[in-house]
């Protein structure tokens, strides 16, 4: 880090005592980045953009929000009607959450396609999953704050998941609520935690970036950096590319904010919370839907439930275990993937299965949105979600190792430079 | 560039799938016909004359049972009513006056009240839900401040609800219902038949009909016009920021397109030596 | 910092200057956009529409008898409304030319033809305490108006500072008579 000589005396003075300028230099101009990153690699900086937008809009919204069960709904309406540009802040925040998840999902699928979770980037992947988990918690807590019908019933349903824990489940739920139902104490603590968690995410992001700078970016070729020929400085090449990406992202994001601000929300949340009336269809926010489908897939007569039955696990607990397991299993991905090749670009079989997996997750999402008694292509969604749940785990735990062993991979270029200068036939295809 | 286009398409597909998923989330609400609203579309704006007519309908017909508690009287100035008229209207309602000099809020068993002012929120017709149910044979007329946002395709749904009443349950409907559900549709006593309300029966009797309200600006006082005007007014009540939002959106988009083009050109130039 | 790359990019001078212009123009547009984006956040902390709607208060003067005062709340602060006696008025007018910290004539502090009505923001201009003198039993200070117990500022029957540390007279809020017996403050 000490390789830079600063000319400006003030900068030099500060840097000798606290090397912030060297750090900035090191992580931008001095940071060698693979020269072949495609636009899928934009989603990391987009996620950071989203986080910053969420934190800033959130701080300003908190200035006008009242976390009290009898005032929260009206205080949100006051933000929408009376606070200067309050509608803008709130719609930026509400749609920003959805955009953040879209961006992070694409970021994760990109990682899975190009094998970015593989050695030596396991820690980077773990930190990413930790961020994702913290985001899910934050998103859930935040959705409760407007105190609409979906807020209230979403909070009730999700906190009730913990009642599936054997022996202490009910006590845990009472503890989470701070009472005997979701009420004012629940709202108060949810607000407190919703304000706290984004800063935890921010710290995790710092670690995520630190880990990235240690192991360097993966790239579409999936081969490590070997020489200077393989890299270009992050700045200005990727700063300008990221900025361009952010501008395009803002167009999509703000189009929602200005013209369809409630499209991704649920109408029922414009009805104030009523503990005496449950809405006909309780649905979580779209970004939880695949997991919601996994949760619901475990009914007493489901084939996937049978092995749980051997251990006297109730279907309810089985669903909860599977839902959390769906994320836990991702932590083992670096070892479940046995292939010698990282990038799906050179893995013809894995590539196909990757896209099937993506479609499977989307189908799970569809199942989560609809009632189990609805149908998809004439098949009851109850069945569809059971099959899709099974396939989700089968892909990660069985197919991924098997394909790694059995697949005949294409020839991998010797270096990043070689991948860029001499495009092989496979790459053209 | 080819790669980018592919990437963008995939990104869009992924986003669209998520979006479709959430859109489906609403479940099996009855499909309603889309109407042509002045406030829909990219450049949508409210028609102030229509809002004023809509307010008239609300005031004369709806306000007896339905409140607009999120709207303040001062907000009515925004649809072009005069300050005098709004003040006069507000003064018809009473709000708690707070303690008098002796610290009392109730004198001789009567709550101390004062006439409502511009700064007050519109006073609901019933003090609480229980009072509302007592006066409406058990049904609770909901507050309408956010009604168009609290229903899928709110304005279209509301218009359909107000215009799709039938005095008698239609034969064709009865037949179709029996085929679909395997049992007869029975309309309970005191309920009205409506094509779009969930369950096809609604406690609110048909509120609007021809000449329900006298218009002063020469607009035909038909059922359709009444329904359309009051729906527009209620959409304004739910989304008073709509015009500001859309007009800001247009400006921001023009700016972002310009910025994107410039950034793209700069990106091309900076990267010109790499590929 | 972009120059580090540009030296390596091309030898052609015009290419480079075109890029410099593009960089400059893009930065300028970006900076304008960022500045514009900051405004809604800043403005959201300004008084909101419902707060502004309460920024004016109407007061019925009819129950205030001569020699009496009432205190009303206006924008979160106490406002003194006093129905002055003929004695107080003549005293205030007589002292117009006396030596004062913040010289002002009594006539400038009331509405023409409404000599008896004195409307003041009841916050001591020294450090923000509320002066005494509203109640009959209150000390009124050496000049018969108001007396601030915190640091001993004395105000006269026109609310002017006559003695003590306060730097200016008690301010007169913007107000108007909407009828003979009602004033609208703010």
């Amino acid at each position: 880090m000490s390789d830079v000589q600063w000319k400006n005396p003030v900068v030099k003075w500060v840097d000798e005592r606290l090397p912030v300028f060297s750090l900035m230099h090191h992580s931008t101009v001095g940071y060698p980045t693979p020269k072949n990153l495609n636009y899928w690699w934009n989603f990391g900086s987009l996620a950071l953009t989203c986080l910053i937008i969420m934190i800033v809009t959130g701080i300003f919204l908190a200035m006008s929000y009242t976390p009290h069960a009898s005032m929260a709904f009206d205080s949100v309406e006051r933000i929408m009607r009376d606070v200067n540009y309050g509608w803008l802040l709130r719609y930026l925040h509400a749609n920003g959450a959805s955009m953040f998840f879209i961006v992070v999902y694409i970021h994760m699928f990109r990682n899975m396609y190009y094998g970015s979770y593989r050695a030596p980037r396991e820690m980077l992947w773990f930190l990413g999953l930790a961020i994702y988990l913290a985001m899910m918690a934050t998103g859930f807590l935040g959705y409760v704050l407007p105190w609409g019908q979906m807020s209230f019933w979403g909070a009730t349903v999700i906190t009730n998941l913990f009642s599936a824990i054997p022996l202490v489940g009910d006590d845990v739920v009472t503890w989470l609520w701070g009472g005997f139902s979701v009420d004012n104490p629940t709202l108060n603590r949810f607000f407190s935690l919703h304000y706290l968690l984004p800063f935890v995410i921010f710290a995790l992001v710092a670690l995520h970036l630190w880990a990235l700078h240690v192991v360097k970016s993966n790239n579409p070729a999936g081969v490590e950096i070997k020489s200077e020929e393989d890299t270009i400085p992050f700045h200005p090449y990727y700063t300008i590319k990221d900025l361009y990406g952010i501008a395009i992202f803002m167009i999509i994001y703000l189009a929602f904010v200005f013209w369809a601000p409630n499209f991704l929300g649920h109408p029922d949340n414009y009805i104030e919370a009523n503990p005496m009336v449950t809405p006909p269809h309780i649905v979580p926010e779209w970004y939880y839907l695949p997991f919601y489908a996994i949760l619901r897939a475990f009914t007493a007569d489901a084939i996937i439930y049978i092995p749980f039955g051997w251990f006297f696990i109730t279907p309810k607990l089985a669903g909860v275990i599977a839902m959390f397991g769906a994320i836990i299993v991702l932590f083992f991905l670096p070892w479940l993937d046995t292939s010698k090749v990282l990038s799906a670009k050179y893995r013809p079989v894995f590539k196909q299965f990757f896209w099937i997996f993506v479609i499977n997750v989307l189908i799970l999402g569809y199942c989560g949105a609809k009632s189990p008694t609805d149908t998809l292509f004439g098949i009851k969604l109850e069945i569809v979600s059971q099959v899709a749940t099974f396939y989700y785990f089968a892909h990660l735990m069985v197919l991924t190792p098997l394909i790694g062993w059995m697949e005949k991979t294409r020839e991998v270029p010797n270096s990043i430079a070689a991948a860029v200068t001499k495009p092989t036939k496979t790459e053209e295809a | 560039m080819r790669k980018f286009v592919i990437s963008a398409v995939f990104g869009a597909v992924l986003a669209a799938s998520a979006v479709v998923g959430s859109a489906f989330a609403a479940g099996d609400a009855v499909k309603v016909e889309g109407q042509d609203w002045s406030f829909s579309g990219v450049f949508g704006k409210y028609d102030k004359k229509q809002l004023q007519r809509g307010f008239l309908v609300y005031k004369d017909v709806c306000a007896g049972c339905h409140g607009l508690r999120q709207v303040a009287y001062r907000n009515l100035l925004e649809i072009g009513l005069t300050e005098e008229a709004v003040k006069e209207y507000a003064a018809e309602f009473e709000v708690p006056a707070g303690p008098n000099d002796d610290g009392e809020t109730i004198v001789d068993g009567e709550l101390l009240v004062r006439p409502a002012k511009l700064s007050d929120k519109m006073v609901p017709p019933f003090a609480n839900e229980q009072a509302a149910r007592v006066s409406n044979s058990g049904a609770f007329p909901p507050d309408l401040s956010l009604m168009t946002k609290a229903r899928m395709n709110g304005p279209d749904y509301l218009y359909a609800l107000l215009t799709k009443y039938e005095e008698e349950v239609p034969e064709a409907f009865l037949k179709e219902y029996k085929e679909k559900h395997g049992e007869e549709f029975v309309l309970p006593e005191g309920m009205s038949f409506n094509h779009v309300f969930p369950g096809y029966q609604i406690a609110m009797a048909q509120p609007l009909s021809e000449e329900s309200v006298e218009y002063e600006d020469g607009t035909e006082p038909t059922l359709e016009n009444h329904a359309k005007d009051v729906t527009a007014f209620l959409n304004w009540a739910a989304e008073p920021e709509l015009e500001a939002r859309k007009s800001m959106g247009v400006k921001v988009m023009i700016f972002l397109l310009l910025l994107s083009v410039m950034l793209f050109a700069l990106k091309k130039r900076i990267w010109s030596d790499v590929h | 910092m972009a120059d580090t790359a540009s030296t390596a990019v091309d030898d052609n001078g015009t290419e480079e200057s075109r890029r410099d212009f593009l960089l400059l123009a893009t930065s300028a547009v970006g900076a304008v956009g960022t500045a514009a984006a900051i405004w809604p956040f800043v403005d959201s902390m300004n008084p909101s529409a419902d707060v502004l709607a309460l920024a004016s208060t109407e007061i019925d003067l009819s129950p205030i008898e001569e020699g009496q005062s009432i205190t009303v709340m206006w924008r979160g602060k106490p406002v003194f409304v006093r129905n002055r006696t003929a004695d107080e008025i003549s005293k205030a007018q007589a002292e117009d030319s006396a030596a004062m910290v913040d010289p002002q004539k009594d006539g400038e502090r009331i509405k023409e033809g409404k000599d008896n009505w004195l409307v003041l923001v009841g916050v001591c201009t020294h450090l923000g305490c509320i002066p005494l003198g509203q109640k009959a039993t209150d000390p009124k200070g050496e000049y018969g108006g108001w007396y601030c117990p915190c640091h001993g500022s004395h105000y006269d029957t026109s609310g002017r500072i006559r003695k003590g540390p306060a730097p200016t007279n008690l301010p007169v809020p913007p107000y108007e008579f909407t009828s003979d017996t009602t004033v609208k403050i703010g």
Side-chain angles (χ1 to χ4, degrees), chain A residues 114-418:
Chain A
Y114 291 109
S116 301
Y117 49 82
R118 298 276 298 282
R121 298 186 181 81
E122 300 95 324
M123 205 61 202
L124 186 59
W125 171 234
F126 292 167
L127 286 163
L129 286 172
I131 292 169
Y132 175 55
L133 284 170
M135 277 174 64
M136 301 249 269
T138 312
F140 162 68
L141 295 169
Y143 195 58
V144 177
L145 302 185
W147 210 242
Q149 274 288 66
M150 276 294 160
S151 301
F152 182 88
W153 291 100
T156 301
V157 168
I158 301 298
T159 48
N160 263 318
L161 290 181
F162 292 90
S163 68
I165 301 170
L167 302 174
V168 293
D170 288 335
D171 293 330
V172 169
V173 175
T174 307
W175 176 76
L176 285 172
W177 288 340
F180 303 100
S181 63
V182 172
D183 206 340
N184 192 45
T186 327
L187 178 59
N188 274 204
R189 63 191 61 187
F190 277 23
F191 178 58
S192 169
L193 294 173
H194 182 70
Y195 206 119
L196 167 73
L197 276 178
F199 298 98
V200 174
I201 294 177
F202 204 81
L204 289 169
V205 167
L207 294 177
H208 189 65
L209 279 173
W210 187 9
L212 174 73
H213 282 238
V214 172
V215 295
K216 304 284 185 293
S217 297
N218 184 32
N219 61 85
V223 292
E224 294 301 313
I225 296 166
K226 286 177 184 140
S227 68
E228 237 174 75
E229 238 199 325
D230 292 342
T231 66
I232 44 177
F234 188 86
H235 180 80
Y237 294 100
Y238 286 109
T239 34
I240 184 66
K241 198 176 175 182
D242 281 347
L243 281 173
Y244 172 58
I246 289 169
I248 298 296
F249 165 75
M250 290 305 279
I251 290 177
I252 298 166
Y253 169 28
L254 294 181
F256 275 105
V257 169
F258 289 123
W259 288 287
N262 295 307
F263 187 73
L264 294 162
H266 198 291
D268 275 354
N269 228 26
Y270 281 108
I271 303 169
E272 191 168 3
N274 183 351
M276 309 304 279
V277 181
T278 309
H281 299 276
I282 301 187
V283 222
E285 286 291 75
W286 68 264
Y287 31 86
Y288 305 118
L289 290 175
F291 300 101
Y292 191 57
I294 292 175
L295 173 78
R296 290 196 306 191
F298 288 83
T299 50
D301 54 353
I303 297 168
I304 48 171
Y305 168 64
I306 292 171
F308 290 92
W310 298 333
F311 300 98
F312 305 105
I313 294 168
T314 60
K316 181 174 167 183
L317 182 58
V320 175
I321 291 171
M323 185 176 73
F324 285 106
I327 296 171
I328 304 289
V329 69
L330 295 175
F331 280 91
F332 295 95
L333 206 50
W335 296 281
L336 288 168
D337 187 349
T338 52
S339 177
K340 290 195 174 63
V341 178
L342 269 68
S343 173
K345 216 168 158 181
Y346 308 107
R347 302 183 60 189
V349 180
F350 177 78
K351 191 194 272 181
Q352 317 265 344
F353 278 94
F354 170 82
W355 287 111
I356 295 173
F357 179 69
V358 173
I359 292 164
N360 186 59
V361 171
L362 293 177
I363 289 172
L364 277 173
Y366 181 82
C367 293
K370 303 283 275 186
S371 157
T373 50
D374 287 334
T375 57
L376 179 67
F377 306 123
I379 311 165
K380 252 178 124 187
L381 284 191
E382 199 183 344
I383 308 295
V384 175
S385 52
Q386 286 166 9
V387 173
T389 299
F390 177 76
Y391 187 80
Y392 179 91
F393 288 100
H395 171 89
L396 294 169
M397 296 166 74
V398 182
L399 292 175
T400 300
L402 278 184
I403 295 166
W405 280 318
M406 296 161 75
E407 182 181 34
K408 191 173 178 300
T409 55
R410 291 196 178 119
E411 195 194 338
V412 177
N414 285 329
S415 68
I416 293 169

Side-chain angles (χ1 to χ4, degrees), chain C residues 44-177:
Chain C
S44 76
M45 292 174 70
N46 273 323
S48 56
D50 56 330
V51 172
L52 290 174
L54 292 172
S56 64
T57 309
E58 279 197 10
I59 300 161
D60 181 12
L61 300 176
S62 51
I64 312 170
E65 280 164 38
E66 194 177 296
Q68 279 190 339
S69 302
I70 60 158
T71 310
V72 294
M73 190 80 146
W74 173 69
R75 294 187 183 178
K77 289 176 289 199
V79 166
F80 297 160
V81 181
R82 182 161 178 81
N83 189 352
R84 299 190 292 181
T85 60
D87 242 17
E88 286 168 338
I89 299 168
S90 57
K91 198 173 161 212
Q93 285 169 349
E95 291 175 3
D96 271 352
S97 47
M100 277 187 265
V101 185
D102 180 15
Q104 205 179 16
K105 295 208 182 329
D106 185 59
E108 296 166 25
R109 296 174 61 77
I110 45 124
K111 299 282 177 207
E112 217 181 310
K114 305 279 185 186
D115 289 11
N116 57 326
W117 291 108
L118 184 63
V119 183
L120 302 168
V121 175
V123 177
C124 180
T125 57
H126 180 220
L127 289 172
C129 295
I130 298 167
L132 299 171
Q134 286 293 89
K135 276 187 255 161
T137 52
D138 277 352
K140 290 189 162 52
E142 291 173 22
Y143 295 85
W146 288 267
Y147 170 71
C148 182
C150 291
H151 304 95
S153 291
H154 299 254
Y155 297 92
D156 69 11
T157 53
S158 188
R160 295 172 294 202
I161 179 68
R162 301 298 292 274
K163 188 182 170 188
T168 56
N169 303 335
L170 291 176
V172 177
Y175 71 95
E176 57 181 315
F177 281 85

